[in-house]
């Protein structure tokens, strides 16, 4: 065949067409193949998904109206010997059942508006809410965007109970069960029944379950008496009872409360006038006062039990993925067995001694805590507090302090104030009066070898409510000089290579970062002093100078390692002012907020334990009603200082008790003890923290409302009495603190901290200045004393003796040498090398 241009083009076209047909056939085949595989995969996935759902539904419990009703299983608390010390249940703890007829319509509508706005129209599942939550979840990459109806929430809390939700599968499984049961419940129960059960089951923070208990906790009134504003507060808590707690986070609650009110207005549950009135209500002032009011419980928990419950709640949330409602339900109605670390013997000793009036200053007084809620003549709700009472007292010359000599006098003044308000035409809604005894106390006792808290005292006097003010765990106070050891001398020895023999000049001094003067508690200045002296006699200036060399940043790091959670690195307030504890006054315990007794005690326990820190624990294990271990204390431990550092600090603090500022804390039993006293400069707070080889304890004494007073060392004596009684009751063997092999001794001069010179350092005019000191290996000084100087005087010429001075006129004298221009007169000043000799000595040295 002859190939022409046209033939070639035709052939090319034919080949191209064939190729296209061939590709089309292949593409069609691939499409059919992929389609078949896709259909198979979809069917398989749907089959597996259906099987997965069927498997879940098979394990879903049957539902009835009775099964969703709140019911409690008694939880039992045991001490560290396995003896039952307390039972908890929903009947005498933090849930009080209330029928829907006594729950205000505003409160019902508030919860519906913010939690489930289509409650009355859906069948248990809100499809619109699920779609919305799904899109939000995709957008935020989170599976916790809500979508649960009130019916589902009720089932979650009261039917499904205590189950882990740590994985996505577990959460999906629970959600499927919730939705299935919600559909079933809505078929057999009315909306009113579901709403009543929900409002009695929901967690509303501060350990309260149900709206009645929460109303009493936050407003000191029955739920039936709540205002619209107060209803909105409670409805705002549910989403996150910790974050929206109106006591600890009023600003968060306030923002959500506004959203609740807007939702209620949007759904026509309230009028614009009611909305404006509720928004303008200063409800959080009332909450602040009423939150500490006693509830109607017959047998309130002890301070230890309160702290234990809060720790278990936190661990259920952090370790098992519980929310707050589930955690509290588990504790108050889950039938748990909680094995605590409390030593009942030690707790009894602490209770008896702390509540003995003879252990407090004469003329014990009371403080006034007061709240008066009224409706004025314009119909506006108004709340008055003890501050209003104080202003009334000043105006009518009834006094200028809320500290009274007796409860009777405090209540008499309160009565006069109430009558003055009534005379304005106001209607009394509620009145709360409390007159706690003063001064108050807090005590923490820890087994330092394990970190187990053996006893807690959160105050003295009758404890009338659960989760009330616990001065041992939830109140922060300024630690005073107890902090010197932790913030300053610990890092000085452990990090900065200083020793107990390191010397600073106790002389007039100002903080380097603020130029404020530093004052000692005693008059005058003691001159050259060692770190051991500074610990023993609580010397402020030496501590401040040491901090300057250690640096506040290093100090802050050590304090965080010791478990202090209230130390402020940087806080910027709303007015732009910055607060920080990372400064030189950290050396004397000058803090923004202060510390809790528990954390201070546990920091000293780390020293007592040879430098190993344990997180404080109030339980060893928590077991469910089926015998399964839910929680087990695995107290995290870490070395926070060298063994040698812990021993050196301990040895110095033994001196505090035997011959320093803590002699009133010495133990009559003869048990070895070490500790540190602390008093704030304004005499508001008195501390003693110390330990034996077995237990670490701290005692704080002071007024709840800062008041200047003299403890007469009674706080130290309380510490001594408690530790002595523990030692004798438990028949503890008298042993010394263990000395590590890394510790050596050397003779040094206590005026220079360097190796002593025989015939010089021991001839100081005030006596022998040579001491035997402990050192960590490698830190023994290598230089000899350069603070003392021995000179031979010619009495005849009153100058340095030379070869012309007869022997009989020669006399050796020892003086102190101090840097030129050193400020102030100190105890060393009379013994300084006279100027007339100084030049001659310098020339001789040259």
């Amino acid at each position: 065949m002859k190939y022409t241009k046209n033939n070639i083009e035709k052939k090319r076209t034919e080949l191209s067409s064939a190729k296209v047909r061939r590709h089309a056939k292949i593409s069609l085949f691939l499409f059919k193949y992929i389609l078949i595989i896709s259909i198979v995969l979809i069917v398989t996935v749907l089959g597996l998904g259906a099987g997965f759902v069927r498997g879940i539904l098979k394990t879903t419990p049957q539902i009835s109206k009775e099964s969703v009703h709140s019911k409690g299983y008694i939880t039992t608390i045991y001490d560290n010997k396995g003896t039952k010390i307390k039972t908890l249940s929903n009947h005498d703890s933090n849930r009080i059942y209330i029928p829907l007829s006594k729950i205000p319509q505003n409160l019902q509508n508030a919860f519906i508006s913010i939690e489930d706005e289509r409650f009355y129209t859906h069948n248990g599942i809100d499809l619109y809410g699920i779609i919305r939550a799904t899109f939000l979840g995709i957008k935020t990459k989170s599976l916790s965007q809500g979508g649960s109806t009130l019916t589902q929430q009720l089932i979650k809390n009261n039917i499904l109970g205590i189950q882990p939700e740590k994985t996505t599968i577990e959460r999906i499984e629970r959600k499927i069960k919730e939705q299935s049961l919600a559909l079933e419940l809505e078929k057999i129960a009315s909306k009113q029944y579901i709403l009543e059960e929900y409002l009695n089951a929901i967690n509303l923070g501060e350990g309260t379950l149900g709206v009645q208990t929460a109303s009493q906790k936050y407003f000191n009134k029955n739920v039936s008496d709540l205002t619209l504003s107060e209803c909105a507060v409670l409805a705002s808590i549910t989403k996150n009872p910790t974050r929206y707690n109106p006591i600890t986070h009023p600003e968060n609650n306030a923002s959500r409360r506004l959203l609740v009110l807007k939702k209620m207005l949007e759904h026509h549950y309230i009028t614009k006038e009611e909305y404006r009135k509720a928004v303008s209500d200063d409800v959080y002032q009332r909450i602040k006062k009423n939150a500490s009011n006693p509830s109607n419980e017959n047998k309130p928990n002890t301070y230890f039990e309160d702290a234990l419950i809060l720790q278990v709640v936190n661990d259920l949330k952090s370790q098992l993925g519980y929310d707050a409602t589930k955690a509290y339900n588990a504790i108050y109605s889950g039938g748990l067995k909680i094995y605590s670390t409390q030593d009942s013997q030690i707790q009894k000793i602490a209770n008896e001694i702390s509540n003995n009036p003879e252990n407090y200053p004469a003329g014990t007084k009371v403080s006034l805590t007061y709240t008066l809620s009224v409706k004025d003549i314009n119909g506006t709700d108004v709340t008055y507090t003890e501050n209003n009472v104080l202003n009334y007292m000043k105006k009518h010359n009834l006094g200028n302090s809320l500290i009274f000599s007796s409860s009777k006098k405090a209540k008499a003044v309160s009565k006069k104030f109430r009558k003055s308000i009534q005379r304005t035409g106001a209607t009394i809604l509620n009145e709360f009066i409390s007159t706690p005894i003063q001064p108050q106390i807090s005590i923490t006792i820890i087994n330092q070898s394990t970190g187990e808290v053996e006893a807690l005292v959160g105050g003295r006097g009758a404890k009338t409510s659960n989760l009330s003010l616990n001065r041992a765990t939830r109140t922060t106070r300024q630690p005073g000089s107890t902090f010197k050891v932790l913030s300053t001398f610990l890092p000085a020895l452990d990090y900065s290579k200083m020793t107990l023999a390191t010397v600073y000049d106790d002389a007039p001094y100002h903080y380097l970062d603020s130029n404020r003067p530093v004052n000692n508690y005693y008059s005058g200045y003691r001159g050259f002093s060692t770190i051991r002296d500074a610990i023993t006699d609580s010397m402020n200036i030496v501590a401040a100078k040491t901090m300057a060399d250690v640096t506040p940043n290093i100090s802050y790091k050590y304090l965080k390692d010791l478990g202090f959670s209230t130390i402020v690195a940087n806080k910027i307030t709303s007015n732009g002012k910055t607060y920080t504890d990372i400064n030189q006054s950290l050396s004397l315990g000058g803090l923004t907020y202060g510390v809790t007794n528990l954390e201070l005690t546990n920091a000293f326990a780390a020293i007592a334990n040879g430098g190993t820190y344990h997180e404080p624990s109030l339980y060893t294990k928590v077991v469910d009603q089926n015998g399964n271990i839910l929680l087990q204390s695995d107290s995290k431990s870490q070395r926070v200082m060298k063994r040698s550092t812990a021993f050196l600090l301990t040895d110095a603090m033994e001196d505090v008790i035997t011959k320093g500022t803590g002699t009133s804390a010495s133990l009559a039993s003869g048990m070895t003890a070490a500790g540190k006293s602390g008093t704030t400069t304004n005499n508001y707070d008195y501390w003693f923290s110390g330990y034996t080889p077995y237990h670490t304890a701290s005692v704080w004494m002071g007024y709840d409302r800062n008041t200047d007073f003299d403890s007469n060392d009674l706080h130290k004596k309380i510490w001594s009495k408690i530790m002595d009684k523990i030692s004798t009751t438990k028949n503890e063997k008298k042993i010394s603190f263990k000395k590590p092999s890394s510790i050596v001794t050397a003779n040094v001069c206590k005026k220079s901290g360097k190796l002593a010179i025989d015939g010089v350092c021991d001839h100081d005019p005030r006596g022998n200045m040579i001491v035997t000191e402990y050192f960590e290996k490698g830190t023994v000084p290598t230089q000899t004393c350069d603070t003392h100087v021995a000179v031979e005087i010619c009495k005849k010429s009153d100058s340095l003796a030379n070869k012309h001075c007869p022997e009989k006129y020669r006399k050796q004298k020892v003086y102190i040498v101090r840097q030129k221009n050193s400020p102030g007169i100190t105890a060393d000043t009379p013994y300084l090398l006279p100027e007339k000799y100084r030049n001659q000595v310098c020339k001789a040295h040259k």
Side-chain angles (χ1 to χ4, degrees):
M1 180 179 178
K2 187 177 181 180
Y3 288 93
T4 64
K5 185 176 181 182
N6 289 334
N7 289 336
I8 293 172
E9 193 65 32
K10 183 179 180 181
K11 187 66 175 178
R12 186 178 295 167
T13 302
E14 289 174 353
L15 289 172
S16 178
S17 299
K19 188 175 182 181
V20 168
R21 286 194 298 272
R22 186 166 60 253
H23 285 176
K25 288 180 180 179
I26 294 171
S27 298
L28 181 61
F29 172 79
L30 289 174
F31 173 77
K32 290 179 178 179
Y33 182 79
I34 291 170
L35 179 61
I36 292 169
I37 291 176
S38 298
I39 291 171
V40 170
L41 287 173
I42 291 170
V43 170
T44 303
V45 170
L46 288 174
L48 290 173
F52 175 72
V53 173
R54 281 198 299 272
I56 292 173
L57 294 179
K58 282 183 180 180
T59 63
T60 301
Q62 296 296 311
I63 194 166
S64 65
K65 289 177 67 175
E66 291 72 29
S67 66
V68 297
H69 184 71
S70 297
K71 47 191 160 299
Y73 298 92
I74 292 175
T75 288
T76 306
I77 299 175
Y78 302 89
D79 69 9
N80 65 352
K81 298 294 190 298
T83 302
K84 184 172 73 174
I85 57 176
K86 178 76 174 182
T87 58
L88 303 173
S89 77
N90 61 348
H91 299 297
D92 60 2
S93 291
N94 275 18
R95 177 189 280 119
I96 302 172
Y97 200 89
I98 193 84
L100 192 65
S101 60
K102 292 187 178 180
I103 298 176
Q105 193 64 47
N106 275 337
L107 186 59
Q108 299 176 39
N109 294 337
F111 275 93
I112 290 169
S113 296
I114 195 66
E115 290 293 320
D116 189 358
E117 61 187 29
R118 285 171 289 280
F119 173 72
Y120 287 113
T121 58
H122 64 62
N123 62 350
I125 299 175
D126 183 5
L127 293 177
Y128 178 84
I130 293 172
I131 295 169
R132 176 181 172 276
T134 301
F135 278 106
L136 282 175
I138 294 171
K139 184 178 180 181
T140 62
K141 298 180 180 180
S142 171
L143 294 177
S144 58
Q145 294 301 320
S148 292
T149 62
L150 295 187
T151 313
Q152 288 175 251
Q153 292 180 47
L154 174 62
I155 287 166
K156 177 181 178 180
N157 292 330
N158 285 13
I159 298 292
L160 298 181
I162 305 168
Q163 295 179 9
E165 288 184 50
K166 293 185 284 186
T167 66
T168 301
I169 294 297
E170 288 174 340
R171 286 192 287 271
I172 292 173
E173 181 179 345
R174 174 179 278 276
K175 189 63 69 174
I176 291 172
K177 289 181 178 180
E178 280 178 19
Q179 293 175 350
S180 171
L181 291 173
L183 292 171
E184 292 298 316
L185 180 60
E186 292 265 353
K187 294 176 183 178
I188 62 175
S190 67
K191 292 288 185 179
Q192 288 71 27
Y193 181 90
I194 293 170
L195 185 58
E196 177 175 313
E197 292 295 338
Y198 170 84
L199 292 174
N200 278 285
I202 195 69
N203 169 47
L204 292 169
E206 292 290 318
T208 61
L209 299 173
V211 293
Q212 171 69 357
T213 312
S215 178
Q216 292 181 346
K217 176 67 180 180
Y218 297 118
F219 306 108
N220 196 32
K221 62 170 72 170
N222 289 324
V223 68
S224 57
D225 297 325
L226 291 181
T227 65
L228 170 60
S229 174
E230 292 163 349
C231 290
V233 168
L234 293 189
S236 301
I237 299 171
T238 312
K239 183 177 182 181
N240 187 322
T242 300
R243 183 179 178 185
Y244 295 103
N245 185 316
I247 297 174
T248 57
H249 299 289
E251 65 285 354
N252 292 345
N253 186 279
S255 63
R256 189 159 176 80
R257 168 177 161 267
L258 184 61
L259 178 61
V260 171
L261 292 170
K262 285 180 178 179
K263 287 276 189 181
M264 293 182 75
L265 180 63
E266 177 184 327
H267 292 292
H268 308 292
Y269 287 131
I270 58 175
T271 65
K272 289 183 179 180
E273 179 58 33
E274 288 173 324
Y275 170 84
R276 283 193 291 267
K277 186 176 179 181
V279 167
S280 63
D281 178 29
D282 186 13
V283 66
Y284 297 99
Q285 182 63 34
R286 298 198 298 280
I287 291 173
K288 184 178 179 181
K289 302 304 302 179
N290 289 329
S292 60
N293 292 356
S295 66
N296 295 328
E297 296 165 17
N298 295 323
K299 295 181 180 179
N301 302 330
T302 66
Y303 290 110
F304 185 99
E305 290 157 0
D306 276 350
L308 169 64
I309 289 168
L310 291 175
Q311 187 173 76
V312 173
V313 166
N314 288 334
D315 289 350
L316 286 172
K317 290 164 64 179
S318 63
Q319 296 182 34
L320 297 184
Y322 288 13
D323 59 23
T325 297
K326 216 165 114 177
Y328 277 107
N329 278 339
I331 289 174
Y332 285 101
S333 60
L336 305 181
K337 292 182 179 179
I338 302 175
Y339 295 89
S340 79
T341 60
Q342 183 183 82
D343 187 307
S344 293
Q345 276 186 315
I346 294 177
Q347 186 68 62
K348 183 180 178 183
I349 291 169
N351 289 345
E352 289 176 349
I353 293 174
S354 63
N355 280 291
N356 186 345
E358 295 178 1
N359 293 325
Y360 296 88
T364 298
K365 300 172 182 176
V366 301
S367 64
L368 174 65
T369 302
Y370 184 78
T371 305
L372 180 68
S373 299
V374 305
K375 192 177 289 293
D376 67 15
I377 56 175
N378 298 317
T380 303
D381 289 334
V382 181
T383 300
Y384 299 97
T385 69
E386 65 268 11
N387 293 323
N388 299 106
V389 177
L390 182 59
N391 291 334
Y392 173 83
M393 290 169 61
K394 291 177 179 178
K395 181 178 179 180
H396 295 86
N397 297 317
L398 297 175
N400 56 7
S401 171
L402 291 172
I403 306 299
F404 299 87
S405 59
S406 69
S407 179
K408 183 178 179 180
K409 290 185 178 180
K411 290 178 179 178
V413 169
S414 302
K415 185 177 181 180
K416 289 182 179 180
F417 174 77
R418 185 184 71 244
K419 287 184 176 180
S420 72
I421 299 301
Q422 286 178 306
R423 284 195 292 270
T424 67
T427 303
I428 305 297
L429 299 178
N430 204 350
E431 183 181 37
F432 169 73
I433 304 174
S434 177
T435 55
I437 195 169
Q438 304 292 326
Q440 269 295 337
I441 195 168
S442 70
I443 301 168
T444 303
I445 304 174
I446 292 176
N447 180 333
Q448 61 254 24
S449 64
T450 62
E452 294 179 356
V453 180
E454 297 175 310
L456 284 175
V457 175
R460 67 175 177 135
K463 186 176 186 291
T464 56
S465 66
N466 288 346
L467 298 174
S468 57
L469 178 65
N470 192 330
R471 299 169 183 85
T473 61
R474 303 187 78 182
T475 299
T476 55
R477 304 292 300 206
Q478 296 300 320
S481 291
T482 57
F483 225 53
K484 292 173 184 171
V485 171
L486 306 171
S487 68
T488 306
F489 298 126
L490 189 163
L493 302 180
D494 200 69
Y495 177 85
S496 299
K497 303 300 182 184
M498 297 185 198
T499 72
L500 289 178
T502 299
V503 165
Y504 285 92
D505 193 4
D506 181 24
Y509 181 73
H510 290 69
Y511 285 122
L512 300 180
D513 51 16
S514 67
N515 203 35
R516 290 184 294 111
V518 182
N519 299 308
N520 291 314
Y521 72 92
Y522 49 82
S523 59
Y525 304 94
R526 298 182 182 178
F528 293 122
S529 304
T530 64
I531 284 179
R532 179 184 285 274
D533 292 332
I535 294 173
T536 303
D537 293 328
S538 199
M539 303 171 73
N540 293 347
I541 290 173
V542 174
K545 288 185 173 182
T546 305
M547 173 63 77
D549 290 337
V550 169
T551 74
N553 281 314
I554 294 298
S555 172
Y556 175 78
K557 178 185 178 300
Y558 271 87
L559 292 172
K560 295 302 288 184
D561 287 344
L562 286 168
F564 287 105
S565 62
T566 56
I567 310 296
V568 177
N570 257 323
K571 180 181 179 182
I572 301 177
T573 60
S574 56
N575 61 7
K577 189 174 181 180
T578 302
Y579 291 93
T580 179
D581 288 330
I582 306 178
N583 52 53
Q584 205 176 352
S585 62
L586 197 59
S587 59
L588 306 185
L591 305 174
T592 304
Y593 298 117
V595 298
T596 65
N597 190 314
L598 175 63
E599 290 186 351
L600 183 68
T601 306
N602 203 46
F604 274 91
I607 303 175
N609 194 37
T612 298
Y613 168 87
H614 290 285
E615 284 188 0
S617 179
L618 285 89
Y619 69 88
T620 54
K621 64 180 178 178
V622 177
V623 180
D624 70 15
Q625 58 185 337
N626 298 317
N628 302 309
I629 295 177
L630 291 177
L631 298 171
Q632 192 148 17
S633 177
D634 183 19
S635 181
K636 295 179 182 177
S637 62
Q638 64 172 334
R639 179 157 293 284
V640 292
M641 71 194 84
K642 293 176 284 189
R643 291 184 184 276
S644 57
T645 302
F647 173 79
L648 294 172
L649 292 172
T650 296
D651 194 69
M653 285 191 283
E654 284 188 76
D655 285 355
V656 171
I657 291 178
T658 57
K659 60 183 179 181
T661 57
T663 54
S664 294
S666 60
L667 302 184
S669 63
M671 177 61 71
T672 306
K676 184 70 185 74
S677 60
T679 306
T680 53
T681 53
N682 43 28
N683 294 328
Y684 291 166
D685 301 279
Y686 291 88
W687 290 91
F688 192 84
S689 297
Y691 46 90
T692 68
Y694 304 97
H695 316 277
T696 303
S698 292
V699 172
W700 166 84
M701 185 185 289
Y703 282 68
D704 289 330
R705 294 179 68 92
N706 285 336
T707 302
D708 183 353
F709 76 109
D710 188 351
S711 81
N712 295 315
D713 276 355
L714 288 170
H715 61 296
K716 300 174 188 175
K717 293 174 183 177
I718 288 175
W719 186 91
S720 173
K721 289 178 180 180
I722 289 173
M723 300 302 267
D724 258 333
K725 190 70 179 290
I726 292 172
S727 177
T728 55
T729 301
K730 290 188 165 294
N731 196 27
E732 292 172 338
K733 185 179 178 181
K734 295 176 179 62
I735 57 176
S736 300
F737 295 110
K738 293 180 181 179
K739 182 176 73 173
S741 59
S742 57
I743 294 295
V744 296
T745 59
N747 291 336
V748 295
C749 174
K750 64 184 300 183
K751 282 295 176 180
S752 67
K754 299 179 180 180
L755 295 175
I757 302 173
D758 290 333
V760 179
C761 299
D762 52 351
H763 281 67
D764 186 290
R766 294 160 289 185
N768 185 3
M769 294 294 166
I770 299 177
V771 295
T772 301
E773 185 57 272
Y774 286 118
F775 294 89
E776 179 193 6
K777 284 181 180 178
T779 65
V780 176
T782 56
Q783 297 178 321
T784 56
C785 176
D786 55 4
T787 299
H788 283 110
V789 57
V791 295
E792 194 171 39
I793 306 297
C794 182
K795 292 187 286 184
K796 189 173 183 179
S797 62
D798 194 25
S799 60
L800 291 182
N802 55 29
K803 61 182 180 180
H804 302 295
C805 181
E807 191 65 35
K808 64 179 180 179
Y809 292 116
R810 293 172 180 266
K811 181 180 180 180
Q812 179 175 296
K813 287 187 176 182
V814 174
Y815 293 99
I816 294 288
V817 177
R818 195 177 178 216
Q819 287 184 350
K820 276 193 173 184
N821 303 319
S822 294
I825 296 173
T826 73
D828 291 329
T829 301
Y831 310 101
L832 293 176
L833 179 67
E835 195 65 33
K836 60 182 178 181
Y837 301 148
R838 189 180 183 94
N839 292 333
Q840 298 177 60
V841 170
C842 289
K843 288 179 182 178
H845 283 181
K846 287 180 182 178

